[in-house]
């Protein structure tokens, strides 16, 4: 349980998300409703796949699914900006 702060968990989730966005860039290179739904589903997948130690950590830190969803959405915005896409 090395990640003991909210910021550390946020950074970890965003690094995972950006890795996914880069690996599947064609799937994540827009702000279309389907893409944004995929971003939220990615967050749900991270949430559902946590191991016991991560669940305990998140409970201790007060982290919720909403946080995971916000963080993956923020990472998606960063990904779009880094790749020259408009965020209209």
């Amino acid at each position: 349980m090395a990640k003991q702060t909210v910021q550390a968990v946020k950074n970890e989730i965003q690094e995972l998300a950006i890795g996914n966005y880069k690996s599947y860039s064609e799937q994540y290179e827009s702000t279309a409703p389907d893409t944004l739904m995929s971003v939220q589903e990615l967050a749900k997948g991270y949430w559902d796949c946590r191991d016991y130690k991560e669940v305990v950590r998140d409970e201790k830190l007060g982290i919720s699914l909403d946080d995971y969803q916000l963080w993956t959405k923020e990472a998606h915005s960063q990904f779009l900006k880094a790749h020259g896409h408009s965020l209209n």
Side-chain angles (χ1 to χ4, degrees), residues 27-75:
Q27 185 178 344
Y28 291 106
E29 59 188 7
S30 79
T31 57
D34 288 348
T35 301
L36 298 178
M37 185 178 295
S38 292
V39 168
Q40 296 303 297
E41 289 172 0
L42 184 64
K44 178 86 166 89
Y46 293 152
W47 180 259
D48 290 344
C49 291
R50 298 173 299 157
D51 64 26
Y52 177 75
K53 289 180 181 181
E54 292 168 328
V55 170
V56 169
R57 174 205 64 203
D58 290 353
E59 287 177 358
K60 178 181 172 187
L61 295 173
I63 296 171
S64 69
L65 173 59
D66 290 339
D67 296 313
Y68 276 54
Q69 291 175 328
L70 174 63
W71 298 336
T72 56
K73 189 174 182 180
E74 288 174 354

Side-chain angles (χ1 to χ4, degrees), residues 11-27:
N11 291 343
E12 180 181 18
I13 296 302
Q14 289 186 329
E15 286 176 21
L16 287 170
I18 288 175
N20 269 290
Y21 304 150
K22 287 179 180 177
S23 293
Y24 303 98
S25 59
E26 68 286 345
Q27 185 178 344

